[in-house]
Amino acid sequence: MKENRDLYYIAALADGEIKDPSLERKLRDEIKDDDGLQFEFFVQTSIKNLVSQRLKIAPAPVKVRKRLERKISPDSDKGLKHLYGLIRRFFR
Amino acid sequence: MFPFPILLAIIDDQKQLYAEFEKEAIPHMDALYNFALRMTGDGDEADDLVQETYLKAFRFFDKFERGTNCKAWLFRIMKNTFINSYRKSSKEPDKIDYEDVENFYENIKPSSTDTAHLEKEMYDNLLDDELSNAIASLPEDFRTVIILCDIEGFSYDEIADFVDVPVGTVRSRLHRARKMLFAKLYNYAADKGYIDKTDTDE
């Protein structure tokens, strides 16, 4: 069995992160000829696909957005207070 | 005479800054919220973490270099905020017990494993919540790289910068994290009867 360090490149192959084309070719050839490496590649790609496709991105709660807007928007009371603070400091 | 033009200029500056912030940073709020939720495991803490992150980001937005990766910048701010304020204190670094995972893979017979069948049996019956829980049960280092790579789509270089480790470490963590997750999901599917363990065991 290959050393773990070499196996880790299988994750990189699944992620399109092998920057050296000759290394990528070498890895793909090795995977083709080895059941163990094929299984390793299967685990990496299937988990990656599963996670990226199945885990739904929940929208941030509206209250989080609104609370933030109240604090930083120039159109909010707090925003205006911040603005006036800036102006007062400017004229000090 | 009251310098209204200067006042207006200041107000315009602030409005413009906010408009730029709204355009560049706010669209990433969902991604940040989901990351916060997965890291804290608590809705209220996630809300607060997102809030604090955005307030800090706004405060320093004039220092943000336009045209660079705003999402990565926001995630970095969130990471530091999480470490400083939300990560449970006096917790030993995760000792990753990888022995069970290694034992699992020693029992798998790749040559006799029908991966297409296995994938269908394992994943088709898996509920989204169950997958979510499996990811939540991973050690923090593993969970982080899975989220950043497979959900958020960051590159290895970006993840390495974010987590402050070499790219090689990102690579090895991802490799091991996915193997650990696969083993968890496999065992879960076997316990539920979705797959027959004898398909892969000796």
Side-chain angles (χ1 to χ4, degrees), chain A residues 15 17 40 54 58 60 87, chain B residues 30 34 126 128 156 178-179:
Chain A
D15 294 323
E17 287 275 353
E40 289 276 348
R54 288 281 297 269
I87 294 168
Chain B
D30 291 346
N34 280 265
L126 185 68
D128 291 351
Y156 280 19
R178 288 178 183 142
K179 287 185 79 166

Side-chain angles (χ1 to χ4, degrees), chain B:
Chain B
M1 175 149 171
F2 203 67
F4 278 117
I6 299 172
L7 272 178
L8 285 174
I10 293 171
I11 292 169
D12 277 346
D13 265 351
Q14 282 299 300
K15 283 194 169 181
Q16 193 183 341
L17 188 72
Y18 179 75
E20 280 177 26
F21 187 78
E22 207 179 23
K23 188 177 159 201
E24 283 243 38
I26 299 291
H28 302 299
M29 191 179 281
D30 291 346
L32 278 147
Y33 174 73
N34 280 265
F35 186 69
L37 200 52
R38 294 195 194 284
M39 296 315 288
T40 61
D42 179 272
D44 289 338
E45 281 196 5
D47 288 355
D48 291 343
L49 178 54
V50 169
Q51 184 80 194
E52 242 182 276
T53 298
Y54 268 95
L55 286 175
K56 281 182 185 166
F58 186 66
R59 198 180 316 146
F60 296 109
F61 191 58
D62 55 339
K63 310 248 182 320
F64 168 68
E65 205 180 316
R66 307 295 189 269
T68 60
N69 190 335
C70 187
K71 185 176 169 184
W73 180 71
L74 288 165
F75 266 76
R76 272 198 296 280
I77 294 175
M78 173 169 275
K79 179 194 90 167
N80 293 331
T81 308
F82 173 71
I83 288 170
N84 293 335
S85 308
Y86 293 89
R87 180 185 265 170
K88 305 300 178 221
S89 57
S90 65
K91 196 177 168 208
E92 275 194 44
D94 278 323
K95 291 194 178 80
I96 294 163
D97 189 359
Y98 207 64
E99 198 181 314
D100 287 346
V101 180
E102 283 168 343
N103 289 341
F104 169 83
Y105 283 97
E106 272 168 25
N107 290 324
I108 285 273
K109 297 294 173 197
S111 56
S112 61
T113 301
D114 177 355
T115 53
H117 174 79
L118 184 61
E119 187 171 8
K120 188 172 167 48
E121 293 299 310
M122 269 177 67
Y123 299 161
D124 282 4
N125 292 300
L126 185 68
L127 298 176
D128 291 351
D129 280 352
E130 289 160 349
L131 174 59
S132 224
N133 292 339
I135 290 174
S137 71
L138 293 174
E140 188 184 302
D141 286 347
F142 283 10
R143 191 164 73 240
T144 301
V145 292
I146 288 259
I147 293 169
L148 293 177
C149 183
D150 296 345
I151 300 176
E152 298 303 336
F154 285 118
S155 69
Y156 280 19
D157 284 334
E158 286 168 337
I159 297 170
D161 184 50
F162 178 87
V163 182
D164 199 22
V165 297
V167 167
T169 304
V170 172
R171 191 187 306 129
S172 66
R173 280 187 192 172
L174 264 169
H175 178 94
R176 297 170 83 196
R178 288 178 183 142
K179 287 185 79 166
M180 188 178 254
L181 189 53
F182 182 89
K184 280 181 188 284
L185 295 177
Y186 179 92
N187 286 329
Y188 181 81
D191 289 345
K192 289 268 183 179
Y194 302 145
I195 54 172
D196 185 357
K197 261 187 174 170
T198 57
D199 284 349
T200 47
D201 281 350
E202 199 169 5

Side-chain angles (χ1 to χ4, degrees), chain A residues 6-19 23-24 27-28 31 37-50 52-53, chain B residues 146 149-150 153-156 171 174-176 178-179:
Chain A
D6 296 329
L7 285 178
Y8 300 153
Y9 277 99
I10 293 183
L13 183 66
D15 294 323
E17 287 275 353
I18 305 280
K19 296 183 172 39
L23 175 58
E24 184 179 346
L27 263 174
R28 288 194 186 279
I31 287 170
L37 293 181
Q38 278 177 31
F39 190 75
E40 289 276 348
F41 189 64
F42 159 71
V43 170
Q44 295 299 312
T45 51
S46 69
I47 287 291
K48 181 180 176 72
N49 291 339
L50 178 75
S52 65
Q53 287 162 21
Chain B
I146 288 259
C149 183
D150 296 345
F154 285 118
S155 69
Y156 280 19
R171 191 187 306 129
L174 264 169
H175 178 94
R176 297 170 83 196
R178 288 178 183 142
K179 287 185 79 166

